[in-house]
Amino acid sequence: MFYLIGLGLFDEKDITVRGLETVKKCERVYLEAYTSILMVEKERLESFYGREVILADREMVESCSDEILNGAAEKDVAMLVVGDPMGATTHSDLILRARESNIPVRLIHNASIMNAIGACGLQLYKFGQTVSLVFFENGYRPQSFYDRIKENAELGFHTLVLLDIKVKEQSWENLARGRKIYEPPRYMSASLAAQQMLEVEEERGEGICSPETLAVAVARLGSDDQTIKAGTLAELAETDVGAPLHSMVIIGKNVHDLEIDFLRAFAVNSETFDTVSKKYLAH
């Protein structure tokens, strides 16, 4: 059996009982280590699970899936995934490859940012499509996120924005020269995300990510020191919510007064929040 096992959001103890029992019986255990990260080192996982954990980076998962799946038709092999196993298309591809090789697959689910974002008080059934925001660099400034947020906004939906992480990435120079030298890990902050959104708004001018757009910044969700801040994009662009990982939500105009009441406790500035949120509720 090939198992895809969700680890949850924070540390080695967030795994489910079913997931832990499965890990302990597997011949090999991989940790997918590039679509997201846990907030602890893999050694803590190995100590708690009682099993060696093999780090699987982008290159291994996307180019060496045969190595991961090798022998899984006869023995149990597991891929550990931060959050829920179906939170990234990469994992769907692994399942399809396993099916092609007649390897049975089983999913063991867990909490992910997709449902835990409800901790900020916004109702999950009012979210539209989720978007990703990447680092702007070297003239690369994709704006597709803006269009998706606009589509959600036209329906009054909230938008969950997943922020870029760079793990085991190479510079263009090292990539061109074929040198296996990797850049230090980078994790996009909510403040930088807000700044990039405002930059695109200046170009587009459609009011989707204006300085007065209400948003929520979330950091280290599921941990003991999780941080949630609500305010305008202009405010969040200047707000430090601490260590990674960060996510954001752009609030839709169909927001309910109960959602606003819940968010008020997280306001960067209560006076500003009340003033702007009244415009949303009057929509």
Side-chain angles (χ1 to χ4, degrees):
M1 183 76 70
F2 178 60
Y3 291 93
L4 280 162
I5 302 173
L7 293 182
L9 293 167
F10 178 48
D11 64 15
E12 72 278 10
K13 295 181 180 179
D14 281 353
I15 193 170
T16 64
V17 173
R18 186 185 302 276
L20 182 58
E21 290 174 345
T22 302
V23 166
K24 287 181 176 293
K25 72 174 186 176
C26 284
E27 182 80 10
R28 298 192 314 279
V29 179
Y30 295 91
L31 172 62
E32 188 267 271
Y34 76 91
T35 59
S36 188
I37 60 165
L38 274 188
M39 301 181 200
V40 296
E41 300 297 323
K42 83 175 183 77
E43 286 75 18
R44 279 181 56 175
L45 274 64
E46 292 174 326
S47 175
F48 189 73
Y49 301 159
R51 301 289 287 108
E52 177 190 3
V53 175
I54 304 166
L55 282 179
D57 59 16
R58 180 190 295 269
E59 184 178 352
M60 174 179 283
V61 175
E62 294 184 350
S63 304
C64 303
S65 59
D66 290 344
E67 177 183 337
I68 294 171
L69 296 171
N70 183 39
E74 296 82 30
K75 298 178 180 180
D76 291 328
V77 176
M79 173 71 78
L80 307 180
V81 178
V82 178
D84 186 83
M86 299 310 293
T89 55
T90 294
H91 310 135
S92 299
D93 184 65
L94 271 174
I95 292 172
L96 293 174
R97 292 175 184 272
R99 287 176 179 171
E100 290 172 0
S101 300
N102 295 316
I103 296 171
V105 178
R106 184 165 297 167
L107 301 174
I108 300 178
H109 295 284
N110 209 322
S112 77
I113 187 64
M114 303 290 285
N115 63 323
I117 193 62
C120 71
L122 295 173
Q123 297 164 1
L124 293 179
Y125 62 85
K126 289 188 176 181
F127 279 75
Q129 55 193 320
T130 298
V131 304
S132 297
L133 181 62
V134 302
F135 285 105
F136 288 174
E137 53 191 354
N138 299 322
Y140 181 61
R141 297 164 55 86
Q143 298 185 6
S144 58
F145 76 89
Y146 189 95
D147 298 313
R148 303 291 83 76
I149 295 174
K150 181 180 178 181
E151 290 170 4
N152 287 342
E154 289 172 347
L155 296 171
F157 291 156
H158 311 312
T159 303
L160 173 60
V161 185
L162 304 179
L163 307 186
D164 200 7
I165 65 174
K166 298 287 189 184
V167 179
K168 205 174 180 181
E169 297 278 339
Q170 292 178 274
S171 67
W172 287 109
E173 180 182 356
N174 286 327
L175 191 62
R177 294 176 181 272
R179 298 185 298 208
K180 294 290 185 179
I181 300 174
Y182 300 100
E183 300 294 297
R186 289 191 295 153
Y187 311 100
M188 182 181 287
S189 66
S191 58
L192 177 59
Q195 292 165 26
Q196 291 190 176
M197 292 179 189
L198 292 171
E199 288 177 20
V200 173
E201 180 61 45
E202 285 187 7
E203 297 178 25
R204 301 284 291 264
E206 299 176 48
I208 300 302
C209 297
S210 72
E212 286 203 338
T213 296
L214 278 181
V216 185
V218 176
R220 303 172 304 285
L221 193 60
S223 71
D224 294 336
D225 68 338
Q226 72 176 27
T227 298
I228 301 174
K229 294 291 183 181
T232 65
L233 280 179
E235 289 174 329
L236 294 179
E238 303 296 330
T239 301
D240 180 7
V241 292
L245 293 172
H246 296 182
S247 301
M248 290 190 70
V249 180
I250 302 300
I251 298 175
K253 290 294 178 67
N254 196 31
V255 64
H256 192 276
D257 55 357
L258 291 178
E259 294 175 284
I260 293 297
D261 288 344
F262 201 108
L263 282 169
R264 186 172 290 107
F266 306 125
V268 174
N269 182 298
S270 297
E271 184 176 341
T272 302
F273 182 84
D274 286 342
T275 299
V276 177
S277 64
K278 285 178 182 177
K279 298 177 182 178
Y280 276 65
L281 294 173
H283 185 267

